[in-house]
Each structure stands twice: as C-alpha cells, then as structure tokens.
Amino acid sequence: MTATFSHKRTDFPDGFLFGAATSATQIEGTAFGGAGASHWDTFALTPGNVVRAETAARACDHYHRWAEDLDLVAAAGFDAYRFSINWARLLPEGMGAPNPAAISFYDRLIDGMLERGMQPFITLYHWDLPSTLAHRGGWANRDITGWFTDYALTVQRRFGDRLASTATLNEPWCVAWLSHFLGLHAPGLRDISAAARAMHFTLTAHAEALAALRAEGAKSLGIVLNFEHIEPASPGDEGAAATEEALFNRWFAEALALGRYPAEALEGLERWLPARWQADLDTIRAPLDWLGVNYYRRALKATAPGSPWPASREVEGPLPKTTMGWEILPDGLADRLTKLAQLFPGLPLYVTENGMSANDHIHDGAVADPERIAYVDAHLAACRAAIAAGVPLKGYFYWSLMDNYEWALGYDKRFGLIHVDSESLKRTPKWSYQAFQHMLLPRTLPSR
Ligand code: FCB
C-alpha cells in the first residue's frame, strides 16, 4: 500500500471538481448559537438510540472553528466544499423568523469558502428536522412539502447569490425508510404507513422546493440519493434482493427520472401511500440540473421467512470491510454511475459521498491510513472507468472532511481525512488528506 493515489488531476476531464463533504449536525455543535432543537437532538437524548448516548451538542465545534476547517479544505487543494444548513439552527421554530446568529454564521461560512476559492455546494436537508415540525408529524405529514419549500426559499433569499449549487435533500431513503421503517435514525419509528408516506413526501417536498427555487432564479439544483450494490446472498434470494433494489436503488431515482414507482416496491407500499400520490408524480419528475450519488458498499440480501413484507434481511458478505462492517466493492460505483447515466440521459452526475471509516490513531503526530487511500484510489478508478464509458460525471466529494458525529453510531466511526481528537477536538490531517494534496495541488482555478 502506498501513501499516494495512482491518479493525477489531469486524468480527469477539464473542470472536474474535487471536494470534501460534511453536514451541519455532524460537525457544528447544536448547543451553540441559538439553534432550535431538531429531532436528532431529542433522538440522541432518548436511551438506547445512539451508541453511548452520544449527542451532537458539541460535535466538532465547527461553529467556532469553521475558519480553521475551511483553511484545511483549501490547503488540501479541493475545488468545492459540500456542507449543509441545520434547518433548526436557521429556523428554530421550523418556520417564521430566522435566527440572526445563524444567518451571520452561514454568511461567514459561505463568504469564507469564496475567499478561499472554493465553490459552495449546499445541501438544504441533511436530517436536522426542527422538533416543532416533528411534533406535527414531520415527514409523514403532507404539509412538510410547504414547510420545506418555505425553508428552501429562506435559504435562497439569504445566501443564494453566493452558492455554486443547491441540493434539496440528502438521501431520502435514510430520511424515510431508515428513520420510519427500520427505526435506526430519528425519529426512530418502525411503522410501515409512516414510512410509505415519508417515501412519498420526501419527493413532493423536493419537487415543490425545486420549482420554487427555480422560480426565484436559483441555478444548479439537484438532489443527493444513496445507492448500494445489492446482490442476493444465495441462490433463492433473488426476490428479496429485487425488493431491496426497488426500495433502495430504484424508488427515488425512477420517480425522478420516469415519474413512476417500481412495482416490486409498490407491492408492499401502495396501500399505505397517501391519497393522490399518483397525481404528484408529474411534479416529482421535473428536470434536475444534476444528480448526486452517494456510494459506499455492496450489500447482500436474503429472504427472511415468516417476516412480513419486504421479508428480507442483510447477510454478512465475504469481501473486505470497513469498520462500519460495509463490504468494499469499487466496481459497484462504476456500475451504478453507468446505470444512472442511462436512466437520466445527459444529466450531470456528481459523486457527492464516498469514503470509509477506519480505526485511525495518531502516532508521532501522524495518522497512517493506507486502507483509506487504497479505498479512494479504487473508487476514483471506478469514476474514471465510468467517464471513459461516456458517463457525464462532473465531480467527486470525499465523505468526510473530518471525523464527526456518525449519527446513531456516535463518534467511534472515523470517516475523516482529518483526525479529530475526541477530547481536545484538535485536528490532525491523515495520510489520506496528504494524498489528496499531492494529487490536487497546485490548484489551478477552474476553467469554467
Ligand atoms: C451517509 C450520510 C452521511 C454519513 C455517511 C457515512 O449515509 O449521508 O451523513 O453518515 O453516510
């Protein structure tokens, strides 16, 4: 294993963007600056939901250390930075008057990116639903479409003049299924009817916000979906794998591209979908300016006999794994990008997240993470293979800039290019960070 990547910037098309990604709740510190409570704050304070009951109250203290963090993004040679706004920080009541401290924080943050020559890629919703809206049913209530659109317009009117790109939602599968059916993320429901409604209302909220943003003059609008390379665990498990493929990889993408939901998913969800769902699909299909692809792993699915629909379970596979237990399969990324380029002909794609967690430790002031370098190297090779096959891939964002709050798994899972000490919060760039520097510097200003 080496400490550098086998790729050069010039191996990628002109204008290809390299970036790092984070999200608000995972790094900022929700206790600071008058942020309202989000459903993640309360989920974490409820016993049994998060490992060691860790919260995002302090997180990486990015709220106070943002300038140092942006310096690190720039010094790595990145062209772009993907970050999110904490909805509950900006609008503590979920709607109505913005929090002035939040406006000034995000103003400084966005200006700080521009001063450092980095393109701001904003995500409006990376999971911090204000508690006031959670109390009203959150993503299971059709009204979220309007709440989210109003919030999106507030962001656009305050910050839109300085954004390179806006994503409505991050990973609606996690917002809906992981959080309302599997119960593993806030609000921690295990309820198929709430899950079905959230599977639909994430898309209506996306679509209505997209239309409103466009009417307001916003440019470069997209959404970020997550994909896994799903395979049957054994012969006989094809049905379970097909159902999971429909729920995870096809539901959102096909609704956006084709205005329809896959039959294999409707089989279990149709009776729980909200009234008039078919009528919404035309709006949901409205054209995007780009699609974000989050990809980490392969997942093997098996039939779960005796269990109600979708009657599937995950099975541990034989491939090398990260500390998340996620199997590493870089070819799955090339395969997914190629499929998406067929589903969305001509649409610019970005890898908006890809990365690995590892057991990283500081020795003599350095963090050696050759496995992460190898992981990224192999996924960059997959990107190049997709580009060579004609996929309009425009950029790659590593998840994550720094070790952070990995949701229900707390602070143990280290995904960062930068090590963050759990106590002192000191930032230490890892070898993988230096590998990016080596590949990306000197940074030439984008030709667009
Ligand atoms: C994705 C999330 C991101 C992070 C990574 C590991 O599903 O978007 O916030 O948790 O996984």
Side-chain angles (χ1 to χ4, degrees):
M1 292 208 204
T2 70
T4 55
F5 296 131
S6 61
H7 315 281
K8 303 183 294 299
R9 224 189 223 287
T10 48
D11 293 329
F12 293 83
D14 228 20
F16 188 90
L17 296 180
F18 285 94
T22 60
S23 87
T25 289
Q26 291 179 276
I27 62 169
E28 287 176 0
T30 59
F32 312 126
S38 89
H39 67 174
W40 260 101
D41 295 307
T42 51
F43 183 75
L45 290 172
T46 309
N49 285 340
V50 177
V51 171
R52 290 176 301 279
E54 287 171 345
T55 75
R58 184 174 74 143
C60 304
D61 191 28
H62 175 72
Y63 185 78
H64 299 108
R65 301 175 199 227
W66 60 271
E68 175 192 352
D69 293 337
L70 291 187
D71 285 346
L72 285 163
V73 183
F78 287 123
D79 316 294
Y81 178 53
R82 177 172 177 246
F83 68 110
S84 76
I85 297 247
N86 176 348
W87 183 348
R89 175 182 299 291
L90 188 66
L91 302 177
E93 297 300 320
M95 53 181 73
N99 163 13
I103 302 259
S104 96
F105 170 67
Y106 291 119
D107 265 338
R108 280 176 287 145
L109 190 68
I110 294 166
D111 290 346
M113 290 174 216
L114 296 175
E115 279 156 19
R116 290 165 180 80
M118 284 147 15
Q119 301 191 30
F121 270 58
I122 207 171
T123 302
L124 296 174
Y125 187 71
H126 203 128
W127 308 352
D128 16 46
L129 183 72
S131 291
T132 49
L133 303 181
H135 298 152
R136 296 165 72 173
W139 290 101
N141 183 343
R142 185 179 276 278
D143 290 347
I144 190 104
T145 305
W147 303 333
F148 180 68
T149 300
D150 290 345
Y151 158 64
L153 286 172
T154 306
V155 172
Q156 175 61 23
R157 287 174 186 148
R158 299 283 175 165
F159 312 112
D161 56 335
R162 287 159 288 159
L163 301 174
S165 147
T166 301
T168 52
L169 306 186
N170 179 68
E171 301 188 348
W173 179 89
C174 291
V175 177
W177 201 252
L178 186 67
S179 308
H180 295 78
F181 184 77
L182 300 176
L184 297 174
H185 275 193
L189 293 184
R190 293 170 58 76
D191 178 325
I192 194 164
S193 73
R197 295 170 70 81
M199 291 288 274
H200 187 66
F201 293 142
T202 43
L203 284 165
T204 54
H206 153 79
E208 189 165 310
L210 190 93
L213 290 170
R214 213 166 254 155
E216 191 78 13
K219 299 275 183 301
S220 191
L221 302 172
I223 184 170
V224 171
L225 305 181
N226 48 330
F227 298 92
E228 293 179 349
H229 191 82
I230 293 177
E231 288 182 327
S234 313
D237 292 326
E238 292 78 8
T243 307
E244 287 296 334
E245 177 75 14
L247 278 170
F248 197 106
N249 289 327
R250 296 176 55 204
W251 179 272
F252 302 99
E254 290 185 12
L256 292 163
L258 309 173
R260 63 164 198 238
Y261 291 136
E264 294 85 339
L266 282 177
E267 183 193 327
L269 291 189
E270 184 164 0
R271 61 187 282 218
W272 307 115
L273 283 172
R276 305 187 308 282
W277 64 270
Q278 290 96 335
D280 296 325
L281 283 164
D282 259 354
T283 331
I284 290 172
R285 198 183 38 191
L288 301 163
D289 298 320
W290 58 273
L291 176 71
V293 177
N294 291 358
Y295 175 83
Y296 290 91
R297 62 144 171 173
R298 176 172 89 151
L300 295 184
K301 301 291 176 173
T303 313
S307 157
W309 189 90
S312 72
R313 63 194 170 89
E314 188 155 339
V315 171
E316 199 183 319
L319 299 179
K321 297 182 190 61
T322 70
T323 59
M324 293 290 280
W326 291 353
E327 278 192 307
I328 302 173
L329 186 71
D331 286 351
L333 175 58
D335 180 63
R336 182 58 54 187
L337 291 170
T338 311
K339 286 191 176 121
L340 289 170
Q342 284 159 5
L343 187 61
F344 294 89
L347 186 70
L349 304 180
Y350 288 89
V351 172
T352 33
E353 285 183 30
N354 172 245
M356 76 176 282
S357 62
N359 273 323
D360 302 316
H361 296 287
I362 303 189
H363 286 298
D364 298 332
V367 183
D369 59 345
E371 308 80 10
R372 181 171 289 107
I373 294 173
Y375 179 100
V376 173
D377 202 62
H379 286 84
L380 288 178
C383 291
R384 285 177 63 187
I387 293 168
V391 173
L393 183 67
K394 304 297 180 193
Y396 172 96
F397 290 78
Y398 180 81
W399 181 274
S400 179
L401 175 67
M402 56 187 158
D403 298 340
N404 59 42
Y405 183 60
E406 182 43 40
W407 307 112
L409 299 175
Y411 290 96
D412 245 14
K413 305 294 178 201
R414 296 182 174 274
F415 276 90
L417 299 175
I418 298 168
H419 180 275
V420 178
D421 184 273
S422 313
E423 293 305 314
S424 68
L425 301 184
K426 182 177 182 313
R427 277 71 163 145
T428 307
K430 303 177 189 176
W431 281 14
S432 51
Y433 174 96
Q434 285 146 6
F436 271 106
Q437 275 184 317
H438 188 259
M439 179 173 70
L440 298 178
L441 291 175
R443 184 161 55 149
T444 45
L445 285 176
S447 48
R448 282 136 291 111

